[in-house]
Amino acid sequence: MLSVSNISLRYGKRVLFDDVNIKFVPGNCYGIIGANGAGKSTFLKILSGEIDATTGQVSTNPGARMSVLKQNHYAYDAYNVLEAVMMGNVKLMDVIREKDEVYGKPDFSEADGLRAAELESLFAEMGGWDAESNAASLLSDLGVKEEHHGKKNDGD
Ligand SMILES: Nc1ncnc2c1ncn2[C@@H]1O[C@H](COP(=O)(O)OP(=O)(O)O)[C@@H](O)[C@H]1O
Ligand SMILES: [Mg+2]
């Protein structure tokens, strides 16, 4: 569950939100609609923790992790649908990237070996082994059929 309590946001004198309270509950898929400039993007930035609200709190269940993708969807053109979903887990993707770098070193040192071991354990702790199947389940739950998971924005 994602819980929004008493969120207000002001830019100077301008009040964008005043005392917003919402609970996003499991099993539902939510969309936010509103006129241009109404504050949709700003609200999502508050939800994801990118910016702080003037008042109020956003809370999730203990241990819950939030995945967030950039609003600029062109940012994922180089990746297929499944990869793009996984990129929402930025910390895991950083670990995967560093793991690839370390293993790709032509002069793999003892220190590199230790770092690789650390990265492997971080990867496992973060559910790295299940990340792909979790992303596939998430997409399927949203109604995106498996036949589309390997596709890219350019139609590949
Ligand atoms: N950092 C900021 N400082 C002042 N005003 C801002 C800032 N960020 C957004 N706004 C204003 O807040 C309003 C909501 O913006 P935004 O959330 O991008 O709207 P939407 O995504 O619904 O089109 C707009 O009027 C925008 O100009
Ligand atoms: Mg917007």
Side-chain angles (χ1 to χ4, degrees), residues 11-89:
Y11 282 128
K13 281 189 180 159
R14 181 152 182 225
V15 177
L16 221 53
F17 312 114
D18 188 27
D19 209 21
V20 176
N21 290 278
I22 312 178
K23 278 187 171 49
F24 296 97
V25 297
N28 288 342
C29 172
Y30 295 91
I32 296 176
I33 55 171
N36 225 343
K40 303 177 295 294
S41 297
T42 306
F43 185 66
L44 290 171
K45 283 178 190 166
I46 294 172
L47 282 188
S48 68
E50 188 183 327
I51 61 170
D52 287 326
T54 312
T55 70
Q57 279 113 39
V58 175
S59 54
T60 52
N61 295 344
R65 177 185 56 74
M66 194 182 297
S67 273
V68 179
L69 294 177
K70 293 186 176 67
Q71 187 167 357
N72 171 19
H73 54 89
Y74 299 114
Y76 305 101
D77 277 1
Y79 306 94
N80 72 32
V81 175
L82 195 64
E83 289 164 339
V85 169
M86 289 172 64
M87 290 175 86
N89 189 348

